[in-house]
Amino acid sequence: MTSPTGRKVTANISLTLDGRYNGPGGPADLAAIVRYATTETARNHLTRIWEHATTALLGRRNAEGFLGYWPAVASDEDADPRDRGYAKWLVDAEKVVLSTTLTEAPWARSRVVNAPVADVVAELKATGEGDILVNNSASVIKALLKADLLDRLYLMICPEIAGGGERLFEDGLPESRWALSRQETGALGEIAAIYDRVR
């Protein structure tokens, strides 16, 4: 449900056909996903995820990983314009990093919060404007699914079966219904889909 401020909570993640966001080798095993990350469909999808967002909500691991990659893309004139667009947005956006271990914010325009994700989202939805985007932070997305706090899911479905690794949709989630609002199929068989929570 959108807040009185109109802010929606959105999340983006890439999944294999067997619902995994990494392979059997652990968090760094993205073999079944990485080849689809730079397709035309994926880059168009990347642009859609941030166009209405003003806040990035990140887990610690992604915040640190993104810091090592995206700022350089923002200043790389040879980078794909869609990648640069996202990178510039991320650098300039408000960033809220959920962590129990960080003591200092890893980025400019960021703050570290050690609190349950539901409480953080409630605070963010009560003020400000624009969507709140969780980009690829699986632990945060899982917590929001469990609390039924997501309003929109941006999914990139990669046409491979990883055969192991971590799944996004675990048993025990509350029942929910979603409406497909956009779908695009890429040349490699990848599908970019946007689902809105029906309440």
Side-chain angles (χ1 to χ4, degrees):
M1 175 189 278
T2 55
S3 67
T5 62
R7 304 194 83 180
K8 290 193 289 190
V9 182
T10 68
N12 173 63
I13 197 163
S14 296
L15 300 174
T16 60
L17 289 178
D18 51 344
R20 303 177 194 275
Y21 54 88
N22 59 39
D29 182 358
L30 302 175
I33 289 172
V34 72
R35 70 182 293 224
Y36 307 98
T38 56
T39 66
E40 287 298 300
T41 297
R43 284 189 158 126
N44 291 338
H45 188 66
L46 181 67
T47 298
R48 286 189 287 272
I49 71 170
W50 63 266
E51 62 187 352
H52 300 295
T54 56
T55 301
L57 182 59
L58 302 162
R60 177 195 55 81
R61 185 180 298 154
N62 266 19
E64 292 176 336
F66 285 2
L67 179 59
Y69 181 76
W70 287 110
V73 176
S75 58
D76 182 358
E77 293 186 7
D78 295 325
D80 185 283
R82 293 161 293 187
D83 293 352
R84 281 192 79 192
Y86 171 73
K88 287 179 177 181
W89 171 83
L90 185 62
V91 168
D92 293 339
E94 172 192 29
K95 290 168 285 292
V96 178
V97 181
L98 297 167
S99 177
T100 58
T101 57
L102 286 179
T103 55
E104 292 184 14
W107 291 61
R109 297 182 190 84
S110 68
R111 61 187 169 103
V112 175
V113 179
N114 180 359
V117 68
D119 295 347
V120 175
V121 164
E123 175 204 326
L124 290 171
K125 287 181 79 165
T127 60
E129 57 186 30
D131 292 350
I132 301 156
L133 170 65
V134 183
N135 189 18
N136 277 323
S137 290
S139 62
V140 179
I141 297 171
K142 285 182 179 186
L144 291 170
L145 285 167
K146 190 171 184 179
D148 195 16
L149 290 174
L150 278 181
D151 302 302
R152 172 170 279 185
L153 271 171
Y154 295 93
L155 297 178
M156 176 64 70
I157 309 301
C158 304
E160 297 194 20
I161 293 175
E166 296 176 272
R167 283 195 168 101
L168 182 67
F169 301 109
E170 299 173 335
D171 289 346
L173 292 175
E175 291 183 9
S176 58
R177 189 160 60 91
W178 299 78
L180 180 66
S181 62
R182 186 181 179 108
Q183 173 186 322
E184 181 181 347
T185 304
L188 300 178
E190 73 280 18
I191 298 173
I194 301 175
Y195 285 95
D196 288 314
R197 176 74 170 93
V198 177
R199 298 189 188 276

